[in-house]
Amino acid sequence: MEMAEFIESRRPRWEKLEKLLDQSEVRGLRGLSLDDARTLGKLYRAVSSDLLWVRARSGSADVSAYLNDLVGRAYALTYPGRRPRLADVWGFVARGFPALLRREWKMYVAAVLLLLAGAGFGYLGMMVDPDAAHYLVPAEHLELDPVQRAANEAAGDGMSVGQQAHFTSFLFTHNIQVAFLCFALGVTLGLGTAVMLFVNGLFLGALAHVYAAKGMAGWFWAWILPHGIPEITAICIAGAAGLVIARGLVAPKGLPRGQALRMEAVTAVKLLFGTLVLFVLAGFIEGTVSQIHPPKLSVAFKITFALVVGSGVYSYLMSDWLRGARSGSGSSGSEDERLEAPRPG
């Protein structure tokens, strides 16, 4: 049977299963009649077989993803007692998240480019017009003189241990809020996400020029990079999640926009969840190492530390590429895909 013929013949039962799932997710299984509950069970098994048929023949990725979503939703309703296990969470963090990022690398690169474009605009804008600082530099840094700040830190007028702990908590909360906003603004067709990434980059670039103009570029990057590498990476991944949601709205690939959005939202939420580890790391570093300035920690030491942290972060994020290169195979057997597509019953 040809793929097009198969899809046309099976589409009615897929749509019927989707309708029953929509009803039961709102009212619960008890809200279904006995006949509808039995029909849901039969359709779950039938659509699971359809999913296997499509995968065995390397069928359309869109059809496979659609069926995968239906089977996953039916599984969740049929076996509601299964709670997430620590092993599942660890499997996603260790293997599933890097595999997912590998599949969505284009969205991640797009998010990075948007942030870098903002940083370049902010830096050049300050070079051309230093008076634009009131519009480009974050408000809390407008009255700070870089040279005076470095002198104060060297004299031991920095934060106490208690202040560092409080600052770490604040930064962690703030950064999570920024990430969630980048993610949520994906529903604006990605425009809000793009603006958030560009503006965050703009502030960074403008501030970098303020310190560079005072001959404090090394001091600035020694302050920013230790926490900035995991933090900016996490924000860009959250931005990529927002762009994934936008993709479901802008390019549903022949599916109804509601279905496409629901499918993309699963991927986007997983991307967002994967950033939590990076934000915890960034918050800890930003409240400690990043706030210990020369002469206690030299510029060279802090930048070296940042490069070590960055190497570790990107070795982890690229681990699925590295595993694929060693084995000569893709990531089709990744933990993330096993979680995403429950075994048909």
Side-chain angles (χ1 to χ4, degrees):
M1 184 183 298
E2 295 294 332
M3 184 62 65
E5 181 184 354
F6 174 82
I7 293 173
E8 192 62 30
S9 65
R10 298 298 196 273
R11 187 185 298 276
R13 72 185 186 193
W14 300 346
E15 293 176 346
K16 187 172 183 180
L17 175 60
E18 184 176 16
K19 182 179 178 181
L20 289 173
L21 288 172
D22 289 340
Q23 293 175 3
S24 57
E25 286 172 349
V26 172
R27 297 180 294 178
L29 286 175
R30 293 184 180 181
L32 299 179
S33 66
L34 181 59
D35 287 341
D36 282 345
R38 288 174 174 169
T39 300
L40 190 150
K42 291 177 182 177
L43 289 174
Y44 167 43
R45 291 189 291 273
V47 175
S48 296
S49 298
D50 292 343
L51 175 60
L52 292 176
W53 192 93
V54 171
R55 284 182 170 177
R57 287 157 181 79
S58 300
S60 166
D62 294 334
V63 174
S64 180
Y66 171 60
L67 295 179
N68 187 72
D69 180 58
L70 289 180
V71 171
R73 292 169 63 195
Y75 181 89
L77 284 169
T78 307
Y79 303 101
R82 184 179 182 273
R83 297 181 177 180
R85 298 173 301 171
L86 182 60
D88 294 332
V89 176
W90 172 249
F92 173 74
V93 172
R95 299 178 67 89
F97 179 58
L100 184 61
L101 189 61
R102 177 182 182 180
R103 291 202 299 276
E104 298 297 342
W105 69 270
K106 292 180 181 178
M107 293 300 179
Y108 174 68
V109 170
V112 171
L113 291 177
L114 283 167
L115 188 137
L116 290 177
F121 185 88
Y123 195 93
L124 292 175
M126 287 294 295
M127 285 182 63
V128 173
D129 183 11
D131 292 335
H134 289 282
Y135 304 100
L136 302 179
V137 177
E140 60 270 25
H141 291 281
L142 279 174
E143 304 301 326
L144 287 178
D145 179 77
V147 176
Q148 185 60 47
R149 183 187 175 195
N152 290 341
E153 295 288 351
D157 296 331
M159 292 189 297
S160 66
V161 174
Q163 288 174 322
Q164 287 178 1
H166 176 75
F167 190 52
T168 300
S169 176
F170 163 76
L171 292 170
F172 178 72
T173 304
H174 171 75
N175 292 336
I176 291 293
Q177 290 173 344
V178 170
F180 269 84
L181 193 55
C182 279
F183 160 75
L185 287 174
V187 298
T188 63
L189 304 182
L191 296 177
T193 298
V195 170
M196 279 290 295
L197 290 167
F198 186 88
V199 168
N200 273 273
L202 183 145
F203 288 158
L204 177 64
L207 192 59
H209 182 270
V210 169
Y211 279 76
K214 296 282 188 174
M216 301 293 293
W219 194 97
F220 174 79
W221 292 115
W223 166 43
I224 291 294
L225 288 180
H227 67 272
I229 292 177
E231 178 180 287
I232 292 172
T233 298
I235 289 175
C236 288
I237 293 173
L243 295 178
V244 166
I245 289 180
R247 183 177 64 196
L249 294 170
V250 176
K253 298 180 181 178
L255 296 175
R257 276 188 167 77
Q259 293 178 11
L261 180 60
R262 192 160 51 235
M263 288 165 47
E264 300 289 21
V266 173
T267 298
V269 169
K270 288 181 177 180
L271 282 171
L272 187 65
F273 175 76
T275 65
L276 293 179
V277 173
L278 296 177
F279 276 125
V280 169
L281 175 63
F284 174 77
I285 295 174
E286 190 166 7
T288 54
V289 175
S290 292
Q291 304 305 324
I292 304 175
H293 302 288
K296 293 181 180 178
L297 290 180
S298 68
V299 168
F301 175 86
K302 292 179 70 176
I303 290 180
T304 301
F305 175 85
L307 293 177
V308 171
V309 170
S311 297
V313 166
Y314 278 90
S315 293
Y316 160 63
L317 294 177
M318 298 182 66
S319 59
D320 193 70
W321 273 281
L322 298 175
R323 280 193 294 269
R326 286 196 297 267
S327 64
S329 61
S331 59
S332 58
S334 69
E335 181 70 19
D336 181 59
E337 288 187 348
R338 290 197 293 273
L339 290 175
E340 198 173 316
R343 182 180 299 174

